[in-house]
């Protein structure tokens, strides 16, 4: 499938999920969720997002350093804010991360490593989130608790199959596949499992997961829920896990579909789940607005630079070239 076709598939998939939710529940839950947002909930979401953004930037900096394309923490924080804003404002939910990887790769002189650093950083965060979700669903009461042993067994079988498949791949020789396997092994060893890397990657990933889940709990309480944190937490983890599905419109779609099902199955009402998810979406967008300021600042700085760089070479702009 071409990149354009896949982009349209992601967009239409998210729109289809939203259409099903609206058809079954109407637009009321979405409007209720947005209407009930208040200044206090926005302040909490923005404050928590500062912490999660710093943690994400620290994780990215650690992985990038391991891959040999390190960057300052301040630069990483600004880039993560810009990435989050683009992910929230544009369809697909990945544009910001791709932009972040390409931009850093250009600055570091290696676009491939820049993209790989972002990819491994995101994969590590999502992997930790999946594990935390499984633990939460096992320990706390949830609608899927009875099915978890089967899911866990399938995950173990899948992991063993993947491990066996990796062992069969060539690791030596000049072939493209062998070079790719060596690159993956080196990236994991140096970027994720290094002596100084893995504690940062693990700790920051846990902090980011807890932060985002806490914002969803605030969104649920803001929209009228009186359920306890222990009852809402596994539902929040499920809803946020659904956001990993690459079928969304600026983050909307699977999140609202999972919220409707999870809250309904837990006896809290599907409409309330959608309202909480909608409030979370708006709160998250507002919390990432500093990323828009970073974009504006980038544009202003670029307009003031008298020269541009092409493949590491300074090339004068047309108006700077003397006329013969």
């Amino acid at each position: 499938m071409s990149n354009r076709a896949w982009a349209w598939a992601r967009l239409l998939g998210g729109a289809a999920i939203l259409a099903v939710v609206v058809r079954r529940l109407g637009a009321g839950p979405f409007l209720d969720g947005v209407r009930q947002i208040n200044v206090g909930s926005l302040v909490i979401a923005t404050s928590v997002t500062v912490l999660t953004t710093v943690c994400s930037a620290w994780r990215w900096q650690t992985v990038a350093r391991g891959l040999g394309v390190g960057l300052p923490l301040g630069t990483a924080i600004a880039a993560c804010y810009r990435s989050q804003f683009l992910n929230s404002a544009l369809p697909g939910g990945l544009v910001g991360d791709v932009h972040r990887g390409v931009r850093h790769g250009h600055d570091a002189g290696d676009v491939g490593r820049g993209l790989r650093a972002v990819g491994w950083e995101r994969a590590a965060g999502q992997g930790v989130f999946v594990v935390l979700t499984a633990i939460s669903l096992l320990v706390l009461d949830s609608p899927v608790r009875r099915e978890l042993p089967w899911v866990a067994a399938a995950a173990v079988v899948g992991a063993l199959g993947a491990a066996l498949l990796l062992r069969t791949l060539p690791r030596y020789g000049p072939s493209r596949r062998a070079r790719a396997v060596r690159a993956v092994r080196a990236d994991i060893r140096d970027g994720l499992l290094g002596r100084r890397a893995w504690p940062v990657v693990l700790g920051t990933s846990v902090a980011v997961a807890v932060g985002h889940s806490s914002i969803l709990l605030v969104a649920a309480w803001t929209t009228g829920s009186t359920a306890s944190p222990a009852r809402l937490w596994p539902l929040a983890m499920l809803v946020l896990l659904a956001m990993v599905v690459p079928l969304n419109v600026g983050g909307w779609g699977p999140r609202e579909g999972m919220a409707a099902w999870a809250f309904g199955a837990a006896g809290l009402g599907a409409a309330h789940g959608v309202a909480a998810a909608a409030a979370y979406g708006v709160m998250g967008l507002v919390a990432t607005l500093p990323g828009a300021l970073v974009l504006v600042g980038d544009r202003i700085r670029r307009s003031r630079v008298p020269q541009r760089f092409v493949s590491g070479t300074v090339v004068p702009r047309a108006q700077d070239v003397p006329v013969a």
Side-chain angles (χ1 to χ4, degrees), residues 143 258-271 273:
M258 177 60 77
W261 175 83
F263 277 69
L268 300 178

Side-chain angles (χ1 to χ4, degrees), residues 202-246:
L202 178 60
T204 53
S205 297
V206 171
V208 171
V210 172
H212 287 309
S213 300
S214 299
I215 294 176
L216 187 50
L217 261 65
V218 172
W221 290 326
T222 298
T223 53
S225 176
T226 58
S228 66
R231 191 175 185 190
L232 286 175
W233 190 266
L235 305 182
M237 299 291 278
L238 274 175
V239 172
L240 295 182
L241 186 62
M243 294 179 64
V244 178
V245 179

Side-chain angles (χ1 to χ4, degrees), residues 280-299:
Y280 174 87
V282 176
M283 290 161 61
L285 178 60
V286 172
T288 61
L289 285 179
L293 298 179
V294 175
L295 281 171
V296 173
D298 289 344
R299 187 173 184 85

Side-chain angles (χ1 to χ4, degrees), residues 11-252:
L11 180 61
L12 293 176
I17 295 173
L18 288 174
V20 171
V21 174
V22 171
R23 180 177 177 82
R24 289 182 174 273
L25 301 176
F30 292 90
L31 299 176
D32 290 341
V34 175
R35 276 197 297 260
Q36 295 181 72
I37 296 173
N38 53 52
V39 175
S41 61
L42 291 177
V43 170
I44 293 174
T46 302
S47 302
V48 174
T49 300
V50 172
L51 298 177
T52 58
T53 302
V54 171
C55 287
S56 296
W58 187 12
R59 181 176 64 196
W60 178 32
Q61 181 195 44
T62 301
V63 175
R65 184 188 299 121
L67 270 59
V69 286
L71 72 165
L73 182 59
T75 302
I77 292 173
C80 283
Y81 259 117
R82 181 181 60 221
S83 173
Q84 291 175 141
F85 174 73
L86 291 174
N87 285 344
S88 299
L90 298 177
L94 295 173
V95 177
D97 293 310
V98 175
H99 180 271
R100 173 162 58 107
V102 171
R103 179 80 173 268
H104 174 53
H106 275 300
D107 293 340
D110 192 330
V111 176
R113 289 197 181 193
L115 285 170
R116 279 154 47 198
V118 172
W120 287 118
E121 176 259 326
R122 284 295 304 269
Q126 291 179 358
V128 171
F129 190 88
V130 169
V131 173
L132 290 178
T133 301
I135 294 174
S136 300
L137 296 177
L138 283 170
V139 174
L140 302 173
D141 188 27
S142 69
V144 298
R145 191 172 185 178
R146 294 181 179 180
E147 289 76 17
L148 279 179
W150 297 101
V151 176
V156 170
V157 171
L160 291 175
L164 292 175
L165 177 62
L166 288 176
R167 291 183 64 87
T168 64
L169 294 176
R171 287 178 287 173
Y172 307 101
S175 69
R176 179 179 299 179
R177 183 175 298 179
R179 292 198 305 271
V181 171
R182 290 196 297 270
V184 168
R185 288 169 59 90
D187 286 353
I188 295 176
R189 181 187 65 241
D190 300 332
L192 300 179
L193 301 181
R195 183 170 58 88
R196 296 182 179 180
W198 74 263
V200 174
V201 172
L202 178 60
T204 53
S205 297
V206 171
V208 171
V210 172
H212 287 309
S213 300
S214 299
I215 294 176
L216 187 50
L217 261 65
V218 172
W221 290 326
T222 298
T223 53
S225 176
T226 58
S228 66
R231 191 175 185 190
L232 286 175
W233 190 266
L235 305 182
M237 299 291 278
L238 274 175
V239 172
L240 295 182
L241 186 62
M243 294 179 64
V244 178
V245 179
L247 300 174
N248 60 75
V249 183
W252 297 72

Side-chain angles (χ1 to χ4, degrees), residues 1 45 79 96 105 209 278 281:
M1 184 181 293

